[in-house]
Amino acid sequence: MIRAALVLCAALCLSAACNRDPPPPPPAVPAPATSGSSSALADDTAELRFPAPRRLVAIGDIHGDLAAARRALRIAGAIDDADKWIGGDLVLVQTGDRIDRGNEDRAVLDLFERLADEAKAAGGTVHALNGNHELMNVAGDFRYVSRPAFEEFAGLGPGIAGSDPNILRFPEPYRPRAAAFAPGGTYARKLAARGVVAIVGDSVFVHGGVSPAHVRHGLGRANREVRAWLEGASGPPPSVVTSDDGLVWTRRYSERPTPKDCADLGEVLDLLGAKRLVVGHTVQKDGITEGCGGKVWRVDVGMSAFYGGKTEVLEIVGSNLRRLGETPK
């Protein structure tokens, strides 16, 4: 629940339109359309394609709950009781929203940063994608940040954003986090190393969803535009990322997809040469679900204490998909 002080913070920093959920997107960055040719598509997606691993595990939204993150990672076979990587050549994809709503945002982000290094050294990979809540924080939207999650950042210096008027508009206790997540800030740069879309083998991973319009815009291009913004090198990312039907916000495949939605998803997968889309963002109260004849798998199971859901992950080994998990006691 948002505390009174946080409401004050939002009032100081955000426009009246922030009462909407989701908030209005940042202005789009104009750019010419892509050609749509197969060669152009291959070139655009090359940077976000990774080979099929021996074993692949997908984890959904964590929302600042370190205990939930640990449970999911242990179920995945990624870490031991000391939180050290034991996954070997395991490839792990976390589909975004590691932060907000819970009290341990910084601890969760730092855990995934460390595990990415440990996995690489062991021959594995951690792809921790950016969801709408990561991007909301970079945009200065802290409506879903708890007081303890603000206090986690108290030890950080102001950094390059410390004299930014947009940071100084926040009440003093909130400025270290605001500076850390501002474009070019310490944690924004960490997020810049993470994409919004990844294709691993024949599976496409994203927080919200991918439509034919997103593919025509260019998924690699969208990743680059978000990265440039996070690094402080450009303005906000385009509406194909941040609008209600953007890559990190859309729920068209997660709630009640229509035949048209499933047909569009089939077109996306054909264009990308993939078999399935794996998404987070929309809580599946009874655990991981699939839709559109197995073309979409939804891995946000509300595992954080805020939602009180299951802890469940999706394992992909070749063409075999399996739900692994447990219900918290």
Side-chain angles (χ1 to χ4, degrees):
M1 186 172 182
I2 303 173
R3 301 172 186 269
L6 183 54
V7 174
L8 172 61
C9 174
L12 289 171
C13 308
L14 305 173
S15 69
C18 281
N19 292 325
R20 292 181 63 245
D21 189 11
V29 177
T34 57
S35 68
S37 69
S38 59
S39 60
L41 177 60
D43 289 344
D44 174 73
T45 60
E47 68 183 67
L48 50 84
R49 287 186 183 271
F50 303 89
R54 179 185 61 85
R55 181 169 179 262
L56 173 63
V57 174
I59 296 177
D61 303 34
I62 294 169
H63 283 298
D65 188 329
L66 185 60
R70 287 169 167 158
R71 287 195 305 269
L73 290 162
R74 287 171 187 151
I75 290 169
I79 64 171
D80 62 14
D81 289 342
D83 296 347
K84 300 297 184 182
W85 181 264
I86 58 169
D89 62 358
L90 169 69
V91 172
L92 182 78
V93 182
Q94 196 281 323
T95 56
D97 280 11
R98 292 179 296 289
I99 60 174
D100 281 355
R101 302 192 188 278
N103 294 335
E104 298 156 316
D105 291 352
R106 185 179 179 187
V108 170
L109 290 173
D110 289 351
L111 173 62
F112 276 88
E113 288 294 311
R114 176 172 59 78
L115 291 178
D117 292 337
E118 292 180 9
K120 184 177 180 181
T125 307
V126 172
H127 299 285
L129 301 180
N130 292 318
N132 60 301
H133 280 269
E134 282 83 7
L135 302 190
M136 287 166 70
N137 273 254
V138 177
D141 184 345
F142 299 133
R143 285 173 296 157
Y144 303 101
V145 181
S146 69
R147 182 180 293 274
F150 271 113
E151 292 171 351
E152 278 189 306
F153 291 82
L156 287 181
I160 64 171
S163 60
D164 187 328
N166 291 323
I167 304 302
L168 297 178
R169 293 171 63 189
F170 285 88
E172 181 64 37
Y174 306 140
R175 289 178 189 171
R177 182 183 179 115
F181 280 100
T186 307
Y187 276 77
R189 292 197 303 272
K190 292 178 186 290
L191 296 178
R194 313 295 173 197
V196 292
V197 185
I199 303 172
V200 183
D202 54 12
S203 299
V204 181
F205 297 89
V206 70
H207 186 64
V210 180
S211 73
H214 302 149
V215 177
R216 289 193 294 270
H217 175 88
L219 300 182
R221 175 178 160 196
N223 266 2
R224 292 188 295 273
E225 288 165 330
V226 172
R227 185 184 310 127
W229 173 54
L230 295 173
E231 291 173 343
S234 75
S239 61
V240 296
V241 177
T242 58
S243 67
D244 286 356
D245 61 353
L247 289 163
V248 301
W249 280 104
T250 185
R251 301 183 194 272
R252 65 181 303 196
Y253 308 127
S254 296
E255 293 180 325
R256 292 182 177 84
T258 66
K260 174 65 164 58
D261 292 330
C262 292
D264 282 354
L265 177 54
E267 179 184 348
V268 165
L269 296 176
D270 287 344
L271 287 168
L272 298 176
K275 291 184 178 179
R276 69 191 64 85
L277 177 70
V278 181
V279 300
H281 189 44
T282 303
V283 174
Q284 311 297 303
K285 294 182 179 179
D286 296 322
I288 292 170
T289 64
E290 60 177 295
C292 296
K295 290 184 174 67
V296 60
W297 288 75
R298 306 127 172 169
V299 297
D300 178 5
V301 294
M303 73 176 77
S304 71
F306 181 88
Y307 291 105
K310 296 184 175 183
T311 305
E312 197 170 61
V313 303
L314 179 66
E315 178 189 68
I316 304 174
V317 178
S319 59
N320 298 316
L321 284 78
R322 184 167 61 131
R323 301 168 180 87
L324 307 175
E326 63 185 17
T327 302
K329 295 179 181 179

